[in-house]
Amino acid sequence: MSIFEERRSDILRRMLADSVPGPLNMELPLLRFELDGDAGVANRELRGLAGWFDRPHPTGRDLRGECDFAAEKLALALVRFGEKLEPETHAAVERFFTAFDFSSIYCSENHWLLFLSSRLIASRVYPDRLFQAYGKTGRELFEEDRRRLADFLRFRARRGWGEFDSGCYMIPVWECMTLLYDYSGVPELRQLCGDMFNLLLADLLQESFDGCQGGAHGRIYPDNALDYAKCGTTFLCRLYAGTGADAVSAANYEALICSFRPDPAVAAIAAWEPERPVEIRERKHLHNICDMQPERPLDGSVRKLTFRSANFLLGSVVYQDDYPDDASRVYAFHQQHDWDLFLRGGSTRCRIFTHHPGDFGEHNYWTGDLGCRCGRFFQHRSAVLALYDIPADQPMQFIHACFPKAEFREVAETEFALFAAGPAAYAALLLPNGWSRTEEGEWAGIEVTSPGAVNAAVCEAGEAADYASFAAFREEILSNRLTFDRGARRLVYESKRCGRIGLGADGSRSVDGVPARFDWPLYDSPLIRSGWDSGVVEITVPGFPARTLDFTLPPHS
């Protein structure tokens, strides 16, 4: 048995052992079937899932919210365990797909892909049945969805994913592609999904230390923002490259059973150690609900920079195009994580970032800025600037930072600055409005707050080896000049190592007086290169032949 198979089998067994039965544990019946558990119990649980529309949602939410998550699990059960399904279970699953509209009321990227990939599989199983909610037979839907899915994947290869580098939402995307890769029966979709797997994994690994993907992320939740071990992407690094936290709680069943194996060059990126710090520039699609299919794609994009040094990862959204109207603006800054510093060699919680807290799901206490859009960010090499102009109608008139004191080897503080020493790197967080540490409650020892609706932060990191001591690092940072003009909403930081960096609320960004340019390609890094909207990706890993992923070509024969 290969190392991969041993890892896979071990994780599957532990997943089943740790599973707690319940209406929202959708993968449990599949795990039972997979490991020759009690087929009678598995059938009963699967019928319960297939009866999604027959009873209230367990949490009181709208049944049309997560019905597509149920659809994906039911579709997989049909094609992987059809012979193990009892007649009553077959009838319940068929009814789910042919009698109801199982598209979600939520129109985000992952929901649309869940719906379409599940419907394609179901339409393949039931080609002659009428899918009542859509007024078409399975055969008609299969041809329609096959084309739409191919177009969707090619579009993402050309312009990136809206829910970019999400530690949680990459997982349903991965699940859908495993379904299409192994069970669509369409060579074109299998090729597209295989190439997309390699591209996403290469991108993930080049920005990761030990499975922890640093920098900015689109759409994550507080537990993802505070601890990399809670990210499904950390599990993908563990599964495919053997690196990172062994967290079964973040494991993914579909990835474990899929026949996909990464290109050896892609898996080898986990061991990549560049000789000097590198910048990874990326351009991501502007997330909105108007072009999921995509029928009316916006021209805008997000520019993301990640600075990878030997012992830290610092990354941010350095520029984001404006949304053209209120309709497309629905997903602006939706649970977005705009900047992040990760210090290598400590725990999966050894990270720093600032954020304007909100009081609802898409602009919650630790991620997102939906409905506010008060933050602007810019980065040059190992320094990032954050500028906030919080509207008066916002309930939280302050910013805060994740600064988990216990995770650092050493901490030092002044009235306007916090310093952290990791195992092999140093970090400074400058807060010109001052700060106070949260001493009680859930965030004690983790959170610091900074008062004021017009606010700012600067973070600079450095290799410990580049300084005589932690004290020398602090001394240098404190000698740098920081100018925060609250009236003009402008922040300037003059770093001895990064230059004079400027950020204004008017959108201006500059380095040493020269305006920054953002006509970036899709990928621009030592390992991955692709022009914006080209659909052709070059992956070059030291020690391996170059690999071209061409999403514009017809499927291989």
Side-chain angles (χ1 to χ4, degrees):
M1 182 182 292
S2 69
I3 294 175
F4 182 93
E5 289 301 324
E6 289 179 0
R7 188 184 306 139
R8 170 188 174 278
S9 298
D10 173 63
I11 295 172
L12 280 170
R13 286 193 299 270
R14 290 159 59 200
M15 284 180 70
L16 180 58
D18 291 351
S19 289
V20 178
L24 294 181
N25 190 346
M26 300 181 190
E27 67 187 15
L28 181 54
L30 303 179
L31 281 167
R32 293 193 200 278
F33 283 133
E34 190 73 39
L35 300 176
D36 294 323
D38 192 325
V41 173
N43 270 277
R44 190 160 59 248
E45 290 171 336
L46 206 60
R47 288 196 294 273
L49 185 58
W52 183 269
F53 294 104
D54 297 328
R55 60 187 66 88
H57 193 283
T59 66
R61 292 163 66 101
D62 193 316
L63 286 170
R64 287 281 307 285
E66 287 82 25
C67 57
D68 48 356
F69 282 92
E72 187 270 327
K73 295 295 187 286
L74 293 170
L76 180 55
L78 272 178
V79 290
R80 188 169 180 83
F81 302 114
E83 294 181 356
K84 295 184 179 183
L85 303 188
E86 298 168 354
E88 187 180 353
T89 307
H90 268 295
V93 174
E94 180 178 342
R95 176 173 173 263
F96 175 94
F97 282 116
T98 61
F100 299 103
D101 180 1
F102 51 92
S103 63
S104 175
I105 56 174
Y106 306 125
C107 300
S108 61
E109 187 174 68
N110 73 91
H111 279 288
W112 193 85
L113 186 55
L114 281 162
F115 163 65
L116 210 59
S117 58
S118 302
R119 194 172 73 171
L120 179 130
I121 298 299
S123 64
R124 186 185 184 203
V125 175
Y126 308 120
D128 299 318
R129 288 297 310 273
L130 177 69
F131 285 62
Q132 298 173 30
Y134 317 113
K136 296 180 180 180
T137 66
R139 186 170 285 102
E140 292 172 317
L141 289 174
F142 184 85
E143 289 304 312
E144 177 182 310
D145 293 347
R146 176 185 62 78
R147 291 190 298 270
R148 295 172 81 186
L149 282 162
D151 288 346
F152 178 89
L153 290 168
R154 286 194 169 95
F155 179 80
R156 299 301 156 190
R158 289 171 23 229
R159 298 199 187 182
W161 293 80
E163 296 168 330
F164 61 90
D165 302 317
S166 172
C168 52
Y169 282 111
M170 189 185 292
I171 299 308
V173 166
W174 208 271
E175 291 172 346
C176 293
M177 292 197 302
T178 64
L179 197 60
L180 299 173
Y181 186 84
D182 278 337
Y183 298 110
S184 69
V186 181
E188 179 183 23
L189 290 178
R190 181 177 173 90
Q191 177 191 328
L192 286 169
C193 289
D195 287 348
M196 184 60 75
F197 280 141
N198 275 309
L199 174 55
L200 290 175
L201 191 58
D203 186 16
L204 167 61
L205 290 170
Q206 73 171 347
E207 297 176 334
S208 298
F209 287 144
D210 302 323
C212 302
Q213 186 182 24
H217 304 275
R219 288 208 70 192
I220 61 173
Y221 290 88
D223 57 345
N224 312 130
L226 298 169
D227 188 351
Y228 288 113
K230 303 297 178 63
C231 294
T233 47
T234 300
F235 163 74
L236 294 179
C237 292
R238 178 74 177 180
L239 176 65
Y240 294 116
T243 184
D246 185 16
V248 173
S249 61
N252 178 252
Y253 167 74
E254 283 86 342
L256 286 162
I257 64 166
C258 183
S259 64
F260 167 77
R261 299 293 181 268
D263 186 292
V266 170
I269 295 173
W272 180 49
E273 296 287 351
E275 294 181 357
R276 60 183 62 86
V278 299
E279 291 184 324
I280 299 168
R281 293 181 176 85
E282 300 172 74
R283 194 167 171 181
K284 306 292 188 179
H285 186 55
L286 199 61
H287 188 203
N288 69 97
I289 62 173
C290 298
D291 63 356
M292 291 301 99
Q293 312 209 12
E295 294 176 350
R296 300 181 304 279
L298 297 181
D299 290 330
S301 59
V302 172
R303 281 67 151 192
K304 174 188 162 183
L305 175 67
T306 304
F307 184 82
R308 175 174 174 143
S309 191
N311 293 290
F312 67 87
L313 288 162
L314 178 65
S316 62
V317 171
V318 295
Y319 186 81
Q320 182 163 330
D321 286 317
D322 290 331
Y323 286 76
D325 51 47
D326 290 337
S328 62
R329 203 172 288 127
V330 171
Y331 273 84
F333 303 95
H334 187 87
Q335 295 170 299
Q336 192 162 295
H337 187 67
D338 288 296
W339 79 268
D340 192 285
L341 170 67
F342 177 54
L343 301 181
R344 186 181 195 178
S347 80
T348 54
R349 299 176 298 279
C350 195
R351 61 198 301 186
I352 297 169
F353 62 88
T354 61
H355 172 247
H356 168 237
D359 62 348
F360 64 99
E362 287 74 25
H363 180 192
N364 59 64
Y365 200 70
W366 285 109
T367 70
D369 202 19
L370 183 67
C372 177
R373 306 188 298 278
C374 68
R376 297 292 180 270
F377 309 90
F378 185 49
Q379 177 182 348
H380 182 61
R381 295 188 63 77
S382 58
V384 64
L385 278 61
L387 186 62
Y388 300 89
D389 190 359
I390 305 169
D393 61 357
Q394 286 292 309
M396 313 287 188
Q397 293 289 301
F398 62 92
I399 66 170
H400 65 164
C402 169
F403 193 90
K405 188 174 183 178
E407 303 299 330
F408 305 122
R409 180 173 57 80
E410 186 179 351
V411 169
E413 303 166 351
T414 72
E415 183 180 0
F416 300 103
L418 298 104
F419 298 92
Y426 300 140
L429 179 63
L430 310 179
L431 297 164
N433 280 11
W435 62 274
S436 61
R437 187 176 297 282
T438 300
E439 302 289 356
E440 297 180 350
E442 184 177 6
W443 310 122
I446 297 173
E447 178 187 48
V448 298
T449 61
S450 180
V454 179
N455 217 316
V458 172
C459 180
E460 184 170 357
E463 293 288 335
D466 291 339
Y467 297 86
S469 64
F470 186 35
F473 171 77
R474 300 196 305 268
E475 182 179 353
E476 178 177 305
I477 294 295
L478 292 175
S479 70
N480 292 338
R481 184 178 180 183
L482 190 158
T483 305
F484 179 31
D485 187 332
R486 293 170 182 80
R489 270 63 167 177
R490 180 159 180 79
L491 178 65
V492 178
Y493 178 60
E494 299 178 52
S495 166
K496 292 178 178 59
R497 297 178 187 249
C498 300
R500 187 174 188 270
I501 311 168
L503 171 63
D506 59 357
S508 60
R509 292 161 170 83
S510 63
V511 177
D512 295 330
V514 178
R517 296 186 59 182
F518 298 105
D519 50 345
W520 291 7
L522 184 71
Y523 289 101
D524 180 14
S525 82
L527 302 183
I528 310 175
R529 296 189 182 277
S530 179
W532 176 252
D533 209 25
S534 74
V536 179
V537 183
E538 299 289 341
I539 299 179
T540 307
V541 181
F544 293 86
R547 170 81 184 273
T548 299
L549 304 178
D550 193 337
F551 291 87
T552 69
L553 293 175
H556 297 151
S557 58

